[in-house]
């Protein structure tokens, strides 16, 4: 069996408040690239979430039931530190548009230079580029039906 160091492991970090079809698209398309993908919910004490951490984890687990390459967990602190702890060489992120790109660029450059963790970006499928967790939360807050946006 390959030693742990040879496992291609990616962390897919996010708030997942809640997980959307956009996230699922990125994760499913990234599966052939990695041996393991850790979906990691970043916990920021200063942030108010709509869904509790346990609920967000349960929704993600339900979306990937039976998929042995996927782990779901939470973490605090810097994503790059979490990657080191988990022996993950890569951070996986999805890009919807240039706003996402501009936000991600400097973070990815810093993570590579400072921590040696490389980022891998997938451009989202066009049918999902309008989907965001914040849109889902807006709809939920107004008692709307957001079922077509989430798994
Ligand atoms: P964050 O709080 O870091 O923005 P999110 O949970 O919103 O976390 O998103 C996590 C990752 O999923 C980010 O890389 C984000 O760009 C990506 N993502 C979110 N929505 C979509 C989508 N509709 N299509 C593709 N990628 C997406």
């Amino acid at each position: 069996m390959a030693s742990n160091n040879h496992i291609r492991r990616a962390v897919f970090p996010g708030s997942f408040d809640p997980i959307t079809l956009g996230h699922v698209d990125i994760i499913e398309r990234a599966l052939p690239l990695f041996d393991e993908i850790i979906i990691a919910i970043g916990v920021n004490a200063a942030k108010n979430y709509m869904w509790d951490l346990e609920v967000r984890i349960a929704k993600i687990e339900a979306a990937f039931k039976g998929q042995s390459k996927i782990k779901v967990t939470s973490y605090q602190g810097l994503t790059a530190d979490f990657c080191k702890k988990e022996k993950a060489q890569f951070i996986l992120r999805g890009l919807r548009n240039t706003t996402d790109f501009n936000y991600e660029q400097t973070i990815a450059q810093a993570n590579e230079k400072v921590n040696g963790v490389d980022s891998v970006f997938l451009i989202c499928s066009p049918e999902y580029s309008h989907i965001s967790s914040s849109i889902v939360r807006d709809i939920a807050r107004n008692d709307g039906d957001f079922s077509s946006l989430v798994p």
Side-chain angles (χ1 to χ4, degrees), residues 12 21-34 37 64 67 69-70 92-96 120-129:
F12 187 50
L21 290 180
H23 297 129
V24 173
D25 169 55
I26 296 295
I27 293 161
E28 283 180 344
R29 288 166 50 217
L31 275 174
L33 302 175
F34 302 106
I37 296 177
F64 295 103
Q67 179 49 262
K69 282 172 127 186
I70 292 180
L92 172 66
R93 297 288 284 178
L95 295 176
R96 285 162 289 193
V120 174
F121 297 99
L122 290 181
I123 306 272
C124 83
S125 304
E127 61 269 38
Y128 300 125
S129 58

Side-chain angles (χ1 to χ4, degrees), residues 39-112:
I39 305 175
I41 303 184
V43 178
N44 178 347
K47 230 167 146 178
N48 278 323
Y49 299 101
M50 180 166 257
W51 281 275
D52 287 341
L53 179 62
E54 296 70 33
V55 175
R56 281 179 281 149
I57 289 176
K59 283 178 190 285
I60 299 171
E61 284 175 343
F64 295 103
K65 225 175 10 215
Q67 179 49 262
S68 60
K69 282 172 127 186
I70 292 180
K71 307 268 178 304
V72 187
T73 187
S74 64
Y75 70 102
Q76 296 194 359
L78 292 177
T79 305
D81 289 339
F82 177 72
C83 291
K84 288 225 153 143
K85 182 175 143 265
E86 296 292 328
K87 296 188 168 48
Q89 309 92 327
F90 305 103
I91 294 173
L92 172 66
R93 297 288 284 178
L95 295 176
R96 285 162 289 193
N97 46 47
T98 54
T99 308
D100 279 352
F101 174 82
N102 289 333
Y103 175 78
E104 300 287 345
Q105 182 182 21
T106 49
I107 299 173
Q109 287 167 335
N111 281 335
E112 200 280 319

